[in-house]
Amino acid sequence: MTKLSRDEVAQQIAEAIPDGAFVNLGIGAPTLVANHLPETLEIILHTENGMLGMGAAPEEDQVDPDLINAGKQAVTERDGAAYFHQADSFGMMRGGHLDVCVLGAFQVSENGDLANWSTGARGAIPAVGGAMDLAIGAKEVYVMTDLLTKNNESKLVVACSYPLTGVACVSRVYTEYAVFDVTSEGFAVTKLFGDNTIELLNSLTGLALIDATTPAGLDERKGR
Amino acid sequence: MTKLSRDEVAQQIAEAIPDGAFVNLGIGAPTLVANHLPETLEIILHTENGMLGMGAAPEEDQVDPDLINAGKQAVTERDGAAYFHQADSFGMMRGGHLDVCVLGAFQVSENGDLANWSTGARGAIPAVGGAMDLAIGAKEVYVMTDLLTKNNESKLVVACSYPLTGVACVSRVYTEYAVFDVTSEGFAVTKLFGDNTIELLNSLTGLALIDATTPAGLDERKGR
Amino acid sequence: MIDKVVSSVEEAVAGVPQGATVMIGGFGRAGQPVELIDALIAQGASDLTIVSNNAGNGDVGLAALLSARRVRKIVCSFPRQSDSWVFDRLYRESAIELELVPQGNLAERIRAGGTGIGAFFTPTGAGTLLADGKEAREIDGRLYVLEYPIQADFALISAHKADRWGNLVYRKTARNFGPIMAAAATTSVAQVDEVVPLGAIDSEGVVTPSIFMQRVVKVPERQWLHDGKFVGRVDIEGQPRERATGTGAPGGSQ
Amino acid sequence: MIDKVVSSVEEAVAGVPQGATVMIGGFGRAGQPVELIDALIAQGASDLTIVSNNAGNGDVGLAALLSARRVRKIVCSFPRQSDSWVFDRLYRESAIELELVPQGNLAERIRAGGTGIGAFFTPTGAGTLLADGKEAREIDGRLYVLEYPIQADFALISAHKADRWGNLVYRKTARNFGPIMAAAATTSVAQVDEVVPLGAIDSEGVVTPSIFMQRVVKVPERQWLHDGKFVGRVDIEGQPRERATGTGAPGGSQ
């Protein structure tokens, strides 16, 4: 059984992002993807609080409280950057202009429903932020998540039990075991990491997964 | 019987515009108002093709085809000007941010309906431009018009026979004979020019006009 | 590396299909992408639906496209102008379909097209002929009409400067429909006076962010500019005034 | 002559009535008008409805207003943050009402409030708990939910520079909600680092045009700026870093 580290999963996602893509990396683990984007490519990062062309974290003495990402961390500005207000920024997302958005998840259902903003726990303070906009706000919505919860329950499910963030919005799920595409027939495994098998994933998720791995895919993996 | 010239009517309107007002002057006769705005006041002109802070016509050799008003005439830029795109410009109007808008009219009805974009003639090529946005796009919508058509028909009517530009949107009508406010009881004459009388206006318009002229109003007129 | 700059106007309009919806920027002549329209005429696509504020001026630009009978339908606010004889003739011959939209609704529908809004209630036009057959609703005592987004296959616009990512800035009232059309089309193309290095456009002053643009092409600088500065000495149509009385060097004064 | 510049933050927030709806700019701490909020606390208005993306950070600014129990209801997208203990406590005590709105719908509702849109169909939130009880509609095969505009009596925002007409420019991601809130309130008030002469703000780069502003007040320049230039040496909360190791003059490097 092979389990990639979060950084390795982030690397997998980074490799799927083409040169010139406009990308939003959600708060949390998805921000790790930025560390793996090749220097040789120009991939333009959007942050929904109002910027395109976001750069890496600044040196400590260059922290600018007016220049932050959606996670409220200090960032920098690349040449070619642009600032805009919130209606323009979310219009950009809602209008489907971003190529890729990478989000965390509590659950993803077979038809691509995403639950990632609330566990529905009584008494919890709700907060949604830009989650629902991000869920519907890109041509491709990738989820980056552990396959299982801490209680070993599958986050890939037939139907989400947690409150939805978006309906039929997820296109692909990257986990530490494998990559899953959302298809009209359910989850299709497109890439198995290491010695993992479809049978193992069927067992871990309790789902009937489609085997969409290909020899070409295997070669590609080996070549990396 | 007193009939003001167009320039004198424009002067009347100019005197009603307070310092600091944001104003849109429609195509045609209303543009004359700009010539009568006192230099000592700061009145900020909006042009719906995307500018606040519009200035006078340029010197001939300074005509800039990129700097025009809604009538597609060359204008200039004042200190404090700003440019914006069409959605922002019309959002500004629709949102009720302009203080005053001055428009021409074919007809104005007792309840303030405006008809100024189409005579409804068969075969005519229709064109509406920003007329309908202007009609609803200011806190005060003033109409500047001759009282009568070339056929001596009143442009102030019980109900418009021409296609409407806006419903219940006009607040005041400036004509060469008098100034009329739109009230819930119909047109009220607030200012008579020269020796004109309510009776004359009743006769010219065929309407039962309310006399809202005041001695104070008379004094004010004489004082000018 | 991202480089959206193409080397010719032909390349800039390549691929416009038959029957496409094409947005064309400009308010009158200001901001009208004349070189791109000329290239579109040469490219040959026909049966087009054009979305533009006006329906052409004189015999050039949009008027020439109409004159070449490439346009099936035009969606605009103000077709009738003193110099719109080409449109006027086609309209009277019933050789072109017209969808007349109040200018602010046109702008807001284009904005909705670029920002994923499904429909919106606008007060403009409510209770008038142009709202006939449309869903109306009273909200908080005011009458509104429901309007739907407009999107396009291509947007052809004119801007002042671009960088290779496609960030744009405009010049004065020539900005007009450019930014909202750029966001509402699948392939957005800008002709510009100047292509500047990445980073040369102030990030605070970018008007159209790079994400909305697919192609940028440099065209000869407008006659009233020299190295990006206004030098004037043209008429409102951009034609040179008093050629004979020039003083030699283009001495700008603004 | 127009002069919207007032001489104190007290004057800037004068007249906020009991029970008012007040928009407060900012995303987290960036763009939060802390001095205006402090003045609002001193001014004393209570029973307020606050529209803001967050519900306060730490114990200052919006958090202090909440802590002073002046707020009846907050309309926001992301109240729960690592340092939102003031809101968290009030919420658990049921001492504050919360209307939770997805951030993009919050922004678009505020924009609608400023631009006269009666309502709009948005795909964001459609089919989720936050669309419960709201009108939904399928348009061209996609599900949308109808959302209504938000307007306010006052907007308190933070900008970088202003002129006496009220034209504003912002700084980097501190722009966030400022421009749309300025347009959606009856009385819009900006605190700025600098008031510049009329004409000093490039007309192409104005972000909030003068028409939207009613009052402007200069506040002490933010700690990480010096004469408008970034000098850094603060942490993400804007507090000075390594006071002891400074080199004397504030030597900026950006």
Side-chain angles (χ1 to χ4, degrees), chain B residues 19-20 22 42 44 52 77 79-84 91-92 94-95 97-98, chain D residues 1-2 4 114-117 164-165 167 183 198-199 203 206 209-212:
Chain B
D19 195 13
F22 288 83
E42 282 190 327
I44 304 181
L52 276 172
E77 167 187 328
D79 282 349
Y83 298 101
F84 29 81
M92 206 174 273
R94 204 191 305 113
H97 299 281
L98 291 172
Chain D
M1 194 180 101
I2 301 168
K4 297 179 182 169
T115 57
I117 297 297
R164 64 179 172 78
W165 281 13
N167 287 301
L198 198 68
S203 54
V206 169
S210 54
I211 193 169
F212 297 123

Side-chain angles (χ1 to χ4, degrees), chain C residues 123-182:
Chain C
T124 303
T128 78
L129 209 60
L130 297 188
D132 274 5
K134 296 183 176 181
E135 182 174 339
R137 185 181 295 198
E138 195 174 303
I139 300 171
D140 274 346
R142 189 172 198 190
L143 189 66
Y144 294 86
V145 57
L146 189 65
E147 292 282 357
Y148 290 88
I150 304 178
Q151 295 182 317
D153 301 299
F154 274 76
L156 307 184
I157 65 174
S158 171
H160 185 38
K161 294 180 186 180
D163 61 30
R164 63 178 173 80
W165 281 13
N167 288 301
L168 302 182
V169 291
Y170 299 81
R171 198 167 168 275
K172 305 188 184 285
T173 56
R175 182 184 303 194
N176 58 64
F177 283 89
I180 52 176
M181 287 182 171

Side-chain angles (χ1 to χ4, degrees), chain B residues 127-156:
Chain B
V128 64
M132 291 187 177
D133 299 277
L134 286 161
I136 58 137
K139 297 185 184 92
E140 302 288 334
V141 173
Y142 294 166
V143 162
M144 173 179 178
T145 183
D146 294 338
L147 181 62
L148 305 177
T149 67
K150 287 174 186 164
N151 300 328
N152 284 321
E153 290 168 344
S154 174
K155 291 185 167 194
L156 302 189

Side-chain angles (χ1 to χ4, degrees), chain C residues 18-52:
Chain C
Q18 294 294 107
T21 296
V22 180
M23 292 178 172
I24 297 184
F27 177 86
R29 294 170 191 268
Q32 195 178 133
V34 175
E35 283 85 348
L36 289 177
I37 299 170
D38 286 346
L40 179 60
I41 295 171
Q43 188 261 0
S46 63
D47 196 31
L48 301 173
T49 294
I50 297 295
V51 180
S52 189

Side-chain angles (χ1 to χ4, degrees), chain B residues 16-51:
Chain B
I17 297 175
D19 195 13
F22 288 83
V23 177
N24 185 303
L25 302 174
I27 297 176
T31 57
L32 291 176
V33 174
N35 303 335
H36 299 276
L37 297 173
E39 294 276 330
T40 52
L41 302 187
E42 282 190 327
I43 289 167
I44 304 181
L45 296 181
H46 173 259
T47 181
E48 63 266 31
N49 51 316
M51 181 186 194

